[in-house]
Amino acid sequence: MHFISQDLEDYIEQHSEKEPELLAALNKETYQKILLPRMLSGHFQGRVLSMLAKLIRPVNILEIGTYTGYSALCLCEGMQENGQLHTIDIKEELVDFQRKHFDKSPWGKQIVQHLGEAIEIIPNLDLKFDLVFIDADKENYLNYYEMILPKMNKGGIILSDNVLWSGKVLEPIHPNDNSTKILVEYNLLLKNDPRIETVLLPIRDGLTVSRVL
């Protein structure tokens, strides 16, 4: 996942906005208690998500893939006062962990947790979204995209994480590697879909910003 040197990554963090105390505590507890802590967005990407949300000023946000709630809290930093963030995850064992940290934030009552398969939950969300963050199982990225696009407001932003997939998108695809195959297809779709305009940023493991036309 490291496309630049660790020294440069450290320099970038040191010259970006400081990680808020609540998120630093969540970061630390995730590494202490939860499996696969590298799934956490972390300081730098979290500040990118926060900045994008503050520029967009969304009312309704959808997050597909909650994990421990770090990215959700970053996105809430730019949410309007009357807004809501809906976040979906399949891991029941993380629900209470997420809620504990959500309720420590100013947005606890505005964060709605959904437990289950996103592909089943999304069709039942009767909302229009200004901002969506896709960071879940890669095999369903194409499905998630097609499901959320009709639910986006014009000018809304879709953020897609892990689209460089540790550089695997440039390598020969193993026949059993469905995740890489889907991500290559997904990146091509975002580039060529006339319904959106897209820029792929080499942030951490790749972050695509797509604006709905």
Side-chain angles (χ1 to χ4, degrees):
M1 190 182 293
H2 292 280
F3 299 114
I4 61 175
S5 71
Q6 187 62 54
D7 287 343
L8 270 176
E9 288 194 3
D10 292 344
Y11 183 88
I12 289 167
E13 285 197 6
Q14 292 162 8
H15 291 79
S16 297
E17 194 69 19
K18 184 180 178 182
E19 185 179 39
E21 289 184 9
L22 173 65
L23 290 173
L26 172 53
N27 194 335
K28 181 178 180 180
E29 190 172 350
T30 298
Y31 272 84
Q32 289 173 336
K33 299 179 179 179
I34 308 298
L35 292 173
L36 303 174
R38 73 191 292 266
M39 291 173 59
L40 194 82
S41 290
H43 175 192
F44 172 60
Q45 185 174 4
R47 292 305 86 206
V48 172
L49 295 176
S50 170
M51 182 67 77
L52 289 171
K54 288 171 182 173
L55 292 170
I56 297 162
R57 297 291 293 144
V59 175
N60 290 319
I61 305 172
L62 173 63
E63 179 183 52
I64 306 172
T66 316
Y67 190 48
T68 56
Y70 190 101
S71 53
L73 291 172
C74 294
L75 296 170
C76 282
E77 292 179 30
M79 184 171 60
Q80 294 192 33
E81 289 183 6
N82 62 333
Q84 275 194 332
L85 181 141
H86 291 258
T87 185
I88 306 171
D89 206 282
I90 60 170
K91 292 184 173 63
E92 186 175 1
E93 66 272 18
L94 292 179
V95 170
D96 291 341
F97 185 97
Q98 297 159 4
R99 178 48 58 186
K100 179 180 73 172
H101 291 279
F102 290 160
D103 287 344
K104 290 179 181 178
S105 79
W107 312 285
K109 294 181 180 179
Q110 295 167 268
I111 300 174
V112 181
Q113 293 165 284
H114 299 270
L115 178 63
E117 298 284 349
I119 208 159
E120 298 173 0
I121 292 169
I122 294 169
N124 296 317
L125 297 176
D126 188 21
L127 291 167
K128 285 283 191 177
F129 294 99
D130 307 297
L131 176 59
V132 173
F133 182 42
I134 305 175
D135 186 18
D137 54 313
K138 312 312 164 192
E139 291 87 346
N140 271 311
Y141 266 38
L142 291 165
N143 295 324
Y144 295 148
Y145 174 74
E146 294 295 351
M147 294 174 81
I148 63 175
L149 198 59
K151 295 179 178 289
M152 296 296 298
N153 284 319
K154 186 176 180 180
I157 299 294
I158 301 171
L159 303 174
S160 308
D161 201 15
N162 303 117
V163 291
L164 294 179
W165 208 224
S166 298
K168 291 181 182 179
V169 291
L170 292 178
E171 300 170 358
I173 301 173
H174 191 278
N176 296 327
D177 187 357
N178 199 42
S179 294
T180 302
K181 177 177 177 290
I182 293 296
L183 281 172
V184 169
E185 292 180 22
Y186 183 72
N187 290 340
L188 281 173
L189 172 62
L190 296 188
K191 169 64 173 65
N192 296 319
D193 192 335
R195 298 172 291 180
I196 60 171
E197 57 182 355
T198 288
V199 61
L200 197 165
L201 304 175
I203 292 172
R204 204 159 170 262
D205 196 26
L207 180 71
T208 300
V209 181
S210 304
R211 177 176 174 270
V212 178
L213 299 176

